[in-house]
Amino acid sequence: MSRFLKEQYQAMEAYTPGEQPRDMQYIKLNTNESPYPPAPSVVEAMTGEQVELLRLYSDPTAKNLKEKLAGMYGVRPENVFVSNGSDEVLNFAFMAFGGQGVVFPDISYGFYEVFADLYAINAEKIPLEEDFSIDYHKYCGKNKLVVIANPNAPTGMTLPVEQIEEIVKSNPDAVVVIDEAYVDFGGETCLPLIRKYDNLLVTRTFSKSRCLAGGRLGYAFASPEIIADLEKIKYSTNPYNINRLTLLLGEKTVEAEGYYQEKCREIEETRAWTAAKLEKLGFTVLPSKANFIFVKTDKMDGGELYRTLKAKGILVRHFTNPRICQYNRVTIGTKAQMEAFVDTLKEVLL
Ligand SMILES: *Cc1c(COP(=O)(O)O)cnc(C)c1O
C-alpha cells in the first residue's frame, strides 16, 4: 500500500476471484465458466475486419444489443441496461441505490460485501437458515437496498418467484436487486415483475450460460427510470464500458439462443448425473438449479479435499468461511470432466 491511498480504502478487502492458475492444465471446475465454446456463428463473427474497427470507439448506447435483448425477453429497450460483466451493473447498483444501507444473505456472492465496503454502505447480513435456504420474510419491509442471488451462490438454491414478489412489494421505497447470473440452468426468472414494480432490478450475465466469461458482458432489466439512473452512473464513469468486439459477440449470442438452450440442458443433465454419483459416495449435495453443486463429505475435511483434488489436477472452489468450510463448490463441466472428477473422488476417498 502506498501512503497516498485514501484512508477509507486502506482497510478495505478486495474481492478474491477464483484462481486461474497457469502452472499446469487443470480440469477447471472452480469458477463456473461454461465447458463449451460459444456458438459457431459467434466464433465466426470475430474477423480481422472487426479487429481493425477497434480504432473506432464502441457504441455507448449499445443500441443493437439492447434491441436484441429486448426482443428476446419481451421488454422495451428502455428496460435494458448492458455492462462490462454483471459485476459492473452490481457495482453501479450499489453506488446508485445503496443510500439507505443494504441487506443481503450472509452466504452469497462475495462481491456484495466488497461493494458495500467500497461505498461505505451499512451492510446487514442475514444468516441463511440451517438448511441454507433463504427465509424471504427476513427481507420484507427493510426499505433499504436488497440484494439476493437467485439461484444463490455458492449454494445453488432458489427462492420461488412469489416470495421474491413479496420482498419487492414490501420494500416500495428501495431497490431490490435479483442477481440471476445462474437462472438459465433450470431456475425461474422474476423478470415479468419489472412490469408491475418500479423498484426491481434483475441482473444477468453472458459469463455462465452464454460461454463468454472472458468477453465481459452483463445485462439487466428494470423500469426505465432505474435504467436511466444506471446510465447516468455509466456516463459518469466509463461511457464506452463495453468494447466493440464484445458488443458484436453479444448480439451474435442472442441470435444463437437455440445453441445455448441446448448447452444449458446438457449441463442440467450432467448436474443430475454428478449429484447422483456423489450421493452414492456419501456426499451431502445441496439441491442446485445452477451450473455448480455445493457438496461435502464426512470422509474428508473440505479444505483438505480441495487441496487433494488440486494435486490431482482438478480445481474446485473452497471457501474458508467457517459456516461453509466443509463444503466445496464444483462447477458442472462436460460429462467427461465429471466422470474424471468422480473417478478421482473414488480414488482419494475409498
Ligand atoms: C459470476 C457471477 C456474477 C458476475 O459475473 P460477470 O462475469 O461479472 O458477469 C454475478 N453474480 C453472481 C452470483 C455470480 O456468480
Side-chain angles (χ1 to χ4, degrees):
M1 184 163 55
S2 80
R3 64 185 194 278
F4 309 108
L5 187 65
K6 264 189 175 178
E7 201 181 328
Q8 70 178 109
Y9 300 134
Q10 289 177 8
M12 187 175 81
E13 254 194 77
Y15 179 71
T16 316
E19 50 189 333
Q20 305 281 0
R22 302 277 180 258
D23 59 330
M24 62 178 264
Q25 274 274 329
Y26 290 92
I27 295 182
K28 220 177 149 299
L29 308 176
N30 69 326
T31 49
N32 299 341
E33 292 141 324
S34 174
Y36 303 112
S41 55
V42 173
V43 176
E44 282 154 22
M46 189 54 41
T47 61
E49 197 180 344
Q50 291 300 332
V51 176
E52 281 175 22
L53 282 171
L54 284 177
R55 69 187 177 78
L56 302 173
Y57 280 111
S58 56
D59 172 15
T61 69
K63 186 168 180 289
N64 293 344
L65 178 59
K66 280 189 175 186
E67 282 174 356
K68 283 196 196 300
L69 284 168
M72 180 155 83
Y73 291 104
V75 298
R76 290 181 294 137
E78 307 86 78
N79 296 117
V80 185
F81 185 73
V82 291
S83 57
N84 190 314
S86 61
D87 287 339
E88 188 180 55
V89 62
L90 292 168
N91 177 17
F92 289 176
F94 274 76
M95 205 190 297
F97 307 121
Q100 302 124 284
V102 61
V103 50
F104 48 82
D106 65 335
I107 307 291
S108 193
Y109 186 37
F111 228 135
Y112 303 153
E113 188 159 16
V114 175
F115 288 135
D117 279 355
L118 179 62
Y119 300 113
I121 298 167
N122 194 292
E124 177 185 354
K125 287 179 275 177
I126 299 182
L128 294 180
E129 304 307 293
E130 205 52 47
D131 64 356
F132 293 113
S133 65
I134 288 172
D135 179 355
Y136 77 96
H137 296 99
K138 295 180 177 170
Y139 298 81
C140 290
K142 288 287 178 187
N143 280 318
K144 46 188 170 182
L145 179 64
V146 177
V147 183
I148 294 178
N150 192 41
N152 195 14
T155 64
M157 290 167 63
T158 57
L159 205 58
V161 168
E162 309 82 66
Q163 296 182 7
I164 288 174
E165 179 161 10
E166 290 305 316
I167 296 172
V168 175
K169 203 195 294 183
S170 70
N171 288 290
D173 296 321
V175 171
V176 175
V177 177
I178 302 298
D179 179 346
E180 293 191 340
Y182 298 106
V183 78
D184 295 314
F185 303 100
E188 190 190 356
T189 182
C190 65
L191 173 58
L193 297 179
I194 67 161
R195 266 184 264 274
K196 228 164 128 187
Y197 300 97
D198 68 355
N199 61 324
L200 172 63
L201 174 63
V202 182
T203 66
R204 301 265 188 94
T205 177
F206 283 68
S207 294
K208 313 309 177 11
S209 61
R210 297 303 185 264
C211 316
L212 225 48
R216 310 307 302 130
L217 188 57
Y219 57 113
F221 301 109
S223 64
E225 293 75 20
I226 285 188
I227 299 299
D229 293 342
L230 293 170
E231 293 290 351
K232 187 181 207 173
I233 302 267
K234 170 186 127 161
Y235 279 95
S236 307
T237 52
N238 188 7
Y240 309 105
N241 60 336
I242 307 170
N243 75 74
R244 296 182 72 94
L245 301 178
T246 294
L247 279 177
L248 175 70
L249 298 190
E251 292 162 31
K252 295 292 173 189
T253 297
V254 177
E255 287 169 8
E257 176 66 9
Y259 170 90
Y260 295 98
Q261 291 286 347
E262 212 174 280
K263 295 302 173 210
C264 287
R265 300 298 81 80
E266 272 178 51
I267 298 270
E268 286 174 48
E269 277 170 35
T270 310
R271 179 180 69 205
W273 180 87
T274 309
K277 289 283 179 198
L278 264 61
E279 277 166 356
K280 248 172 105 179
L281 289 174
F283 275 81
T284 301
V285 183
L286 299 192
S288 170
K289 293 276 187 198
N291 66 338
F292 56 82
I293 49 177
F294 202 47
V295 304
K296 71 166 179 181
T297 172
D298 297 335
K299 298 196 184 99
M300 199 185 280
D301 167 78
E304 193 187 340
L305 181 59
Y306 155 77
R307 287 185 295 274
T308 306
L309 287 169
K310 185 172 177 182
K312 297 211 168 272
I314 297 180
L315 271 189
V316 298
R317 186 88 193 255
H318 180 254
F319 300 90
T320 51
N321 177 332
R323 204 175 163 193
I324 52 173
C325 67
Q326 287 311 317
Y327 284 81
N328 278 288
R329 191 193 66 193
V330 182
T331 304
I332 304 299
T334 60
K335 183 75 181 286
Q337 288 178 318
M338 302 322 281
E339 282 167 355
F341 169 66
V342 169
D343 287 347
T344 306
L345 282 178
K346 284 180 184 161
E347 189 189 315
V348 301
L349 292 175
L350 298 183

